[in-house]
Amino acid sequence: MPLHTLWFFEAEVRLQSSMHAAREWEVTQSAGSKQSMRLEESLAIELFRRAGAYN
């Protein structure tokens, strides 16, 4: 797992927002979400509860 994946996760937790973490890292929110999903897959746990458009 690339180290920047953990750094992005740290920013998401610290800022309590994937959107703000993406801005801090100067990436799209989609790219940031993919990093989070990769981390979850590699750890085999769900780190975030995602709210869908219909929740």
Side-chain angles (χ1 to χ4, degrees), residues 1 5-6 8-10 16 21 25-28 30 36-37 39-42 49:
M1 157 185 11
T5 301
L6 291 173
F8 188 83
F9 172 69
E10 180 277 329
Q16 298 181 3
W25 276 81
E26 298 178 353
V27 297
T28 64
S30 176
S36 297
M37 286 193 232
L39 180 60
E40 288 179 326
E41 287 173 9
S42 66
R49 184 173 299 145

Side-chain angles (χ1 to χ4, degrees), residues 4-35:
H4 66 272
T5 301
L6 291 173
W7 290 336
F8 188 83
F9 172 69
E10 180 277 329
E12 284 182 300
V13 172
R14 177 172 38 84
L15 299 170
Q16 298 181 3
S17 167
S18 59
M19 181 179 68
H20 292 132
R23 284 185 188 157
E24 181 176 293
W25 276 81
E26 298 178 353
V27 297
T28 64
Q29 188 171 357
S30 176
S33 292
K34 288 178 185 177
Q35 290 295 322

Side-chain angles (χ1 to χ4, degrees), residues 38-51:
R38 285 187 195 122
L39 180 60
E40 288 179 326
E41 287 173 9
S42 66
L43 297 175
I45 59 170
E46 183 179 4
L47 297 169
F48 296 100
R49 184 173 299 145
R50 290 175 179 78

